Amino acid sequence: MRAALLPSVVGFALCALLGAGLIRASGPTYDEPVHLAAGYTDLVRGCCRLNTMDHPPLAEMWAALPLLALRPDTFPAHPDWLDARVYHYGDLFLFRNKVPAARLLSAARLFNLLTLSALLSFLLCRWARRLDGAPASVGAALALGACAPWHSNAALVTTDAASAALFFAAFAVLSERPRPAARWALAGALAGAALAAKFNMILLPPLMAVCLLAEARVDRTARPQPLGPALAALAAALTLAACYGFGSAGLWWKGLTATLARLSEGRSAFLLGRHSIEGWWWYFPAALLVKTPLALLAAAGVGAWSARRLPRAELAWLLLPPTLYLGAALTSKTQIGYRHVLPVYPFLVLLAGLGGAALWRRGAGGRAAALGLAAWGAFAALRAHPHHLAYFNELAALRGGGAAWLADSNLDWGQDLPALAAELKARGNPVVVLSYFGSDNPAAAGLRFVPLATVSSVARPGNAALEPGAPVLLAVSQTNRAAVYYRDKALFSWLATRSPVAAPGGSIFLYDLTADGEGRSRLAALLAASGRPGDAKTAMLH
């Protein structure tokens, strides 16, 4: 345990450094106000009232723990609470509280980032050292530190990073032998916690069973332990029930049923210029291909090749969970972000650690290659800093960049209003026509804006009008530019022939249409259709 501690501290420190930069630079993403409000009210009111049909409570409550010291209002008599208007209450809780929104969100985000990264880094380094010694442990730590998909999700108040860390933790604990009763109980408790963090963790128990069966098949020395799985199942059930306060444990099944029914209906998705409700089987492989640092993919490939020499029982625990989880994801009709396959990433990082160790042992050339991969990974992480949510690797540039590939939470989750505000401030803070996707408050971010085709959970009516003689600026979130949630998929297609003057944060595209008569005509038509004839007329005056 002590031998894995030092490299795990390195991995943790890198995650904390890069994730903290994202926290400072990013506004709330689409669902964070809801997750934060639900988690805090679950903690202080002892009830699972908000968001229970979409998510179990554990990840939300965990992120909200530091808010207990801040003691924000819960507005128990407000109609949004009484009527369980989830997104409206989340907006009320975050933006109209006695504690400033930035303080609430930053406290929860930082706590999430630090605790989840500490857990994952330690387990990764411990498992890597068990498989291939100290070089593998160091390699895994460096790979995790440069893994933008991890720290960009761990630094948010969502359910994705917590469930991914718990998913990995359950396998890390159970894969190690011997397995006394305490190990079975701990693995079961981790599985129960994962089930209480996100409904997609319903895959975890059967995957654990598959790994145990595979281990028994390839390793005849593995003795049957009939009481072990029973103990693990009991620990999982008790942990899951405890997260619901025992009395409300039945809500988990109701939420799971509702979620599965909703997911079976499909959801609007975007991939390489195409739109679909049913999705594509290759959506998640394509997203992983362009969202994962290439240095990590290369090191993981070397690690998978070198892992052939490991005992087959070890290979089962290393390869089956991510492979089968990704295989199950290929059948999903809900394709709104690679974050839904985030549990694959810790295993990629572990393989990268093994790959780094294999290269390190191959003499001077191998060490040079290992150091080169580490430098490449570090450069990629620093190049994206602090806007890691919009990170894409070099392959994405071969076909138009990240925005040509994906939208929604893959790069645009509503987080970049602060970056847009900074860009506009540098231009004298002019009024901007804003087509925003997200739940952040543009006025609170300092924007003077005219709303256009907004996709938000709450109303954002705007606070300004276009001014005669002033620049005509249009800012469009990538999700809206790609028309993911519009019926008219060509709504902003006319922007394809125009180059933005800036792309704040990588997810919002700013166009200057002042000298573009046709562009202003297009914009005026949209403004008129949206009930803003005055702004439409002003746009045409230039």
Side-chain angles (χ1 to χ4, degrees):
M1 181 177 293
R2 291 181 180 177
L5 188 58
L6 181 58
S8 71
V9 169
V10 173
F12 164 76
L14 291 172
C15 289
L17 179 65
L18 295 174
L22 181 146
I23 290 172
R24 288 191 297 270
S26 302
T29 58
Y30 203 103
D31 298 319
E32 283 186 288
V34 171
H35 289 309
L36 197 59
Y40 185 70
T41 54
D42 285 350
L43 286 172
V44 300
R45 300 184 69 85
C47 61
C48 297
R49 178 177 175 80
L50 296 175
N51 217 27
T52 54
M53 294 299 103
D54 290 329
H55 295 280
L58 179 60
E60 296 173 330
M61 290 193 296
W62 182 259
L65 278 174
L67 271 59
L68 294 175
L70 301 178
R71 303 180 68 181
D73 289 331
T74 59
F75 308 99
H78 197 280
D80 289 338
W81 169 260
L82 297 175
D83 297 336
R85 300 174 68 198
V86 176
Y87 279 97
H88 290 81
Y89 180 78
D91 184 71
L92 170 73
F93 179 82
L94 184 59
F95 290 108
R96 287 179 278 172
N97 217 302
K98 66 181 181 182
V99 183
R103 189 177 181 192
L104 289 172
L105 193 61
S106 295
R109 283 175 163 183
L110 189 61
F111 181 75
N112 229 33
L113 171 69
L114 297 181
T115 55
L116 297 179
S117 295
L119 172 66
L120 185 59
S121 185
F122 176 74
L123 291 173
L124 273 167
C125 292
R126 179 180 171 85
W127 196 348
R129 185 178 183 86
R130 178 164 60 85
L131 292 177
D132 203 13
S137 184
V138 172
L142 295 177
L144 179 65
C147 183
W150 168 253
H151 55 252
S152 64
N153 282 278
L156 302 176
V157 182
T158 68
T159 60
D160 302 298
S163 57
L166 290 167
F167 180 89
F168 183 81
F171 288 105
V173 169
L174 196 56
S175 66
E176 191 170 345
R177 292 188 288 178
R179 299 190 184 102
R183 183 171 296 279
W184 283 105
L186 178 57
L190 289 167
L195 290 168
K198 197 172 181 70
F199 286 124
N200 63 1
M201 291 293 103
I202 190 63
L203 294 170
L204 178 53
L207 291 182
M208 293 172 73
V210 167
C211 287
L212 287 169
L213 291 172
E215 178 189 72
R217 182 176 179 83
V218 300
D219 185 355
R220 300 299 182 183
T221 65
R223 297 180 179 180
Q225 295 177 285
L227 294 181
L231 180 58
L234 177 61
L238 289 173
T239 302
L240 177 59
C243 291
Y244 279 88
F246 292 101
S248 301
L251 286 175
W252 181 84
W253 180 254
K254 291 181 180 179
L256 174 64
T257 303
T259 298
L260 293 176
R262 186 173 58 254
L263 295 181
S264 68
E265 298 172 357
R267 186 168 172 176
S268 185
F270 173 85
L271 176 62
L272 282 171
R274 305 177 186 181
H275 298 87
S276 175
I277 297 296
E278 298 292 319
W280 306 267
W281 71 264
W282 50 282
Y283 177 92
F284 288 114
L288 288 173
L289 181 65
V290 295
K291 288 292 292 182
T292 308
L294 288 182
L296 174 58
L297 287 176
V302 175
W305 179 261
S306 67
R308 296 173 304 147
R309 60 184 176 79
L310 294 174
R312 288 190 294 170
E314 295 282 12
L315 276 177
W317 291 101
L318 181 62
L319 300 179
L320 285 179
T323 302
L324 295 178
Y325 186 92
L326 180 59
L330 300 184
T331 66
S332 173
K333 294 181 180 180
T334 298
Q335 300 178 344
I336 57 174
Y338 79 105
R339 61 190 173 89
H340 288 163
V341 292
L342 195 65
V344 170
Y345 275 94
F347 291 91
L348 279 177
V349 170
L350 180 56
L351 285 170
L354 298 180
L359 290 172
W360 194 258
R361 294 191 177 98
R362 294 184 67 85
R367 293 189 177 192
L371 292 173
L373 287 175
W376 186 7
F379 173 77
L382 292 175
R383 176 175 60 87
H385 191 72
H387 303 293
H388 299 281
L389 272 174
Y391 169 81
F392 281 84
N393 66 29
E394 294 83 351
L395 286 179
L398 299 178
R399 189 165 175 176
W405 284 78
L406 297 162
D408 214 303
S409 61
N410 293 291
L411 77 153
D412 173 26
W413 217 353
Q415 75 276 8
D416 279 330
L417 286 188
L420 176 62
E423 175 67 30
L424 292 173
K425 184 178 180 180
R427 296 172 178 269
N429 199 27
V431 174
V432 64
V433 178
L434 176 63
S435 179
Y436 174 58
F437 168 79
S439 61
D440 199 356
N441 188 331
L447 295 177
R448 300 167 62 215
F449 74 105
V450 175
L452 174 66
T454 299
V455 178
S456 183
S457 53
V458 292
R460 301 298 187 201
N463 61 358
L466 289 181
E467 301 168 345
V472 179
L473 301 177
L474 169 65
V476 187
S477 295
Q478 163 57 13
T479 302
N480 292 354
R481 195 176 71 145
V484 177
Y485 295 111
Y486 297 144
R487 180 171 296 180
D488 180 5
K489 300 303 181 185
L491 190 68
F492 285 114
S493 61
W494 53 279
L495 292 176
T497 58
R498 292 164 171 82
S499 298
V501 295
S507 75
I508 299 178
F509 296 84
L510 181 65
Y511 297 86
D512 187 344
L513 304 178
T514 308
D516 182 352
E518 182 188 355
R520 286 187 285 107
S521 178
R522 295 269 195 169
L523 177 62
L526 291 176
L527 288 168
S530 66
R532 302 190 71 96
D535 289 309
K537 183 178 180 180
T538 303
M540 292 303 298
L541 290 178
H542 288 267

